[in-house]
Amino acid sequence: MPEGYVRVVDGSTSVAVPASWVEGMPTGAYTIARQDAPGDDFTVRMLAGTRNEARTARGAVSDIRDFAGIVPDEPTNMTQIERDDGREMWSWDVTYDDGAYNLIAWGLHDDALDETVVVTLSAKGLVDPALATNVRDSIDVVDVSTAD
């Protein structure tokens, strides 16, 4: 985990965020919310949760894309991420409102656990590439059957 980050876990969803971030308000299917400032004063917000109804990482990211309804969007802006552990991971990165906002979503599926988690970063302006990489690389699916 990168220096200055803390791991947040809820159910099978595990992700690292900057230690200075505060708890936000989870929405919809998301059970984890962290952001860089309290209340509505945030510039960057992370939402995460389990999305097993999608059954695949690509399906989970497609669901987010469809729900967001952000234009312009094309299915081709989804990308498969290669992982050393062989688990399926997809991302969707879109900038909208003439560059005023950026949303990056990731889905990670673990076949052995039959669990899919999703994580989104949304920002006013562009998401910092180092932040996006650190969050993406920290996403994990936790085996809740072995948790204490």
Side-chain angles (χ1 to χ4, degrees):
M1 183 166 39
E3 186 175 332
Y5 280 66
V6 295
R7 184 157 295 282
V8 182
V9 179
D10 185 77
S12 61
T13 304
S14 175
V15 62
V17 297
S20 62
W21 282 20
V22 298
E23 192 164 350
M25 179 64 68
T27 62
Y30 301 107
T31 57
I32 300 172
R34 297 293 185 275
Q35 54 198 47
D36 64 349
D40 293 333
D41 294 331
F42 66 88
T43 302
V44 184
R45 176 171 61 174
M46 185 278 305
L47 297 171
T50 303
R51 296 287 294 264
N52 287 328
E53 70 279 0
R55 309 308 290 171
T56 67
R58 184 182 176 123
V61 172
S62 292
D63 288 350
I64 293 167
R65 189 191 69 223
D66 294 345
F67 178 76
I70 298 168
V71 177
D73 176 37
E74 301 173 20
T76 57
N77 64 1
M78 289 178 50
T79 305
Q80 187 166 19
I81 307 296
E82 295 294 325
R83 289 181 51 110
D84 292 337
D85 61 12
R87 293 185 288 182
E88 177 198 15
M89 182 178 233
W90 283 83
S91 71
W92 175 55
D93 186 341
V94 63
T95 303
Y96 55 101
D97 284 353
D98 294 324
Y101 302 97
N102 184 202
L103 171 71
I104 305 174
W106 297 276
L108 175 64
H109 181 76
D110 187 300
D111 281 331
L113 298 174
D114 196 26
E115 296 278 344
T116 303
V117 301
V118 294
V119 175
T120 66
L121 278 178
S122 56
K124 297 174 185 168
L126 294 177
V127 173
D128 177 82
L131 171 66
T133 298
N134 288 338
V135 169
R136 180 199 67 208
D137 291 350
S138 77
I139 299 169
D140 200 6
V141 180
V142 177
D143 184 355
V144 295
S145 69
T146 61
D148 292 329

